[in-house]
Amino acid sequence: MNNASLVIARPPARPRGRPRGNPPTRETIVTAARALFLELGYRRTTLRAVAASAHVDMALIAYHFGSKRGLFAEVMRCQCVTGLTVDEVLGGDPVALPDRLIDAVTGLWEDADFRTLSAQGSLAAAAIGEYLEIELLARLAEFLGGRDATARATAAVTVLGGLIYTRYLNPLPTPAALTPAEARAVLVPALRAALAPGRRGPVPRSRP
């Protein structure tokens, strides 16, 4: 028997680093990571498990996201983008903008998966805060325009932040008991006042 016939062909080794050709997309990795973060939580989810679930080399995760922290931040950003679509909120009748803002925030936080992810420590809070600051506040200020646009957008996002804190992060009995529609009815006047143009500046300090 020819010894060559006894040689067992081995599959080619998976290349490390950035793959050539048509590599798995970032979305594939994010989807796999999201499922594991939901199932296992941040601490118990490993990059090795994410790589296995996404059928990629761990080096590809490092290439796209740098670390597990970066991957989790991207998962949270995608959740925010999906649940709170700024383009949709800013579109439509400007008069109903306060209603759309509150509906978007409550819609995002009423989602069970988002609530699970958002409860996973300071990393989640930081990612949500970054989205609200960079995406929502900045885009809202650009949409409003004018000299006081940033102040108005800041005031509006502060109202929304109060809703998030008192209803979801550290719920108080009364705000937490409201339905989303009731929360909208209560907060729309305050949000409309925050968005209204007018003079805004630092609050003067009282003299001793």
Side-chain angles (χ1 to χ4, degrees):
M1 181 179 295
N2 189 340
N3 289 337
S5 64
L6 298 178
V7 177
I8 300 175
R10 295 183 178 181
R14 178 186 294 172
R16 299 186 64 82
R18 183 181 184 182
R20 299 177 180 178
N22 185 24
T25 62
R26 288 170 57 95
E27 290 75 15
T28 301
I29 299 172
V30 169
T31 299
R34 176 182 179 276
L36 289 172
F37 286 136
L38 285 171
E39 178 185 358
L40 303 176
Y42 179 81
R43 291 184 179 275
R44 294 173 57 200
T45 296
T46 65
L47 292 185
R48 187 180 300 278
V50 174
S53 179
H55 305 290
V56 300
D57 191 277
M58 286 179 57
L60 185 62
I61 300 178
Y63 173 81
H64 282 302
F65 307 102
S67 63
K68 185 169 79 167
R69 179 188 294 264
L71 178 57
F72 183 75
E74 180 63 14
V75 169
M76 289 302 303
R77 190 192 71 82
C78 290
Q79 287 290 115
C80 290
V81 169
T82 301
L84 202 165
T85 307
V86 178
D87 288 337
E88 293 182 1
V89 171
L90 297 182
D93 184 1
V95 175
L97 177 59
D99 302 76
R100 292 196 300 275
L101 283 167
I102 293 176
D103 285 346
V105 168
T106 55
L108 175 66
W109 283 86
E110 294 293 329
D111 179 77
D113 287 349
F114 182 80
R115 296 277 290 276
T116 298
L117 291 170
S118 66
Q120 297 187 31
S122 59
L123 290 178
I128 295 168
E130 182 177 352
Y131 182 80
L132 292 177
E133 173 77 18
I134 296 176
E135 293 293 332
L136 183 57
L137 194 156
R139 293 281 305 282
L140 182 58
E142 181 182 2
F143 172 81
L144 294 172
R147 296 177 57 186
D148 63 348
T150 299
R152 294 160 63 193
T154 300
V157 172
T158 301
V159 173
L160 296 173
L163 169 64
I164 292 170
Y165 184 78
T166 60
R167 182 175 171 82
Y168 301 108
L169 293 181
N170 188 27
L172 300 178
T174 301
L178 298 174
T179 66
E182 290 169 339
R184 185 199 318 126
V186 168
L187 289 177
V188 157
L191 196 54
R192 184 172 290 118
L195 291 167
R199 291 180 57 86
R200 285 185 175 86
V203 178
R205 297 181 180 180
S206 57
R207 295 182 179 178

